[in-house]
Amino acid sequence: PRDQVAFVVFDTTPKNKELLTADHNKIIERIKTLSRGDIGACIYDALDSAVKMFSTQPAGSRAVILLTKNSKDKTTAGARCSN
């Protein structure tokens, strides 16, 4: 079986989800077109969204979630995020 890839872009909210796909070129093209979001960085909300995405996979499947951010977990107003 081919590995599947997905990603979730986030700032104040998770968005621009690319669902699991074996088409790695599709993911590369989406990454090339990403634009900067707002100054929020709700990483835990993005993580929750990614975990839910993987939860639909068959039992025994393995997942790797790679997180990157450059700020504290906060909304654009500086408030704590929902999760």
Side-chain angles (χ1 to χ4, degrees), residues 1-71:
R2 293 188 51 179
D3 292 335
Q4 293 188 331
V5 178
F7 71 88
V8 177
V9 176
F10 67 96
D11 47 29
T12 300
T13 59
K15 56 184 104 187
N16 299 326
K17 294 179 191 173
E18 190 67 51
L19 299 178
L20 286 164
T21 179
D23 185 350
H24 296 181
N25 289 326
K26 182 178 179 182
I27 296 293
I28 290 167
E29 290 306 313
R30 287 282 287 140
I31 290 170
K32 288 179 181 178
T33 64
L34 292 177
S35 61
R36 186 179 185 126
D38 62 37
I39 61 170
C42 293
I43 194 165
Y44 296 113
D45 293 353
L47 178 59
D48 182 62
S49 181
V51 168
K52 287 177 181 170
M53 186 185 308
F54 285 115
S55 70
T56 62
Q57 296 305 297
S61 296
R62 292 187 284 173
V64 174
I65 299 174
L66 174 65
L67 302 170
T68 63
K69 71 173 190 154
N70 62 355
S71 182

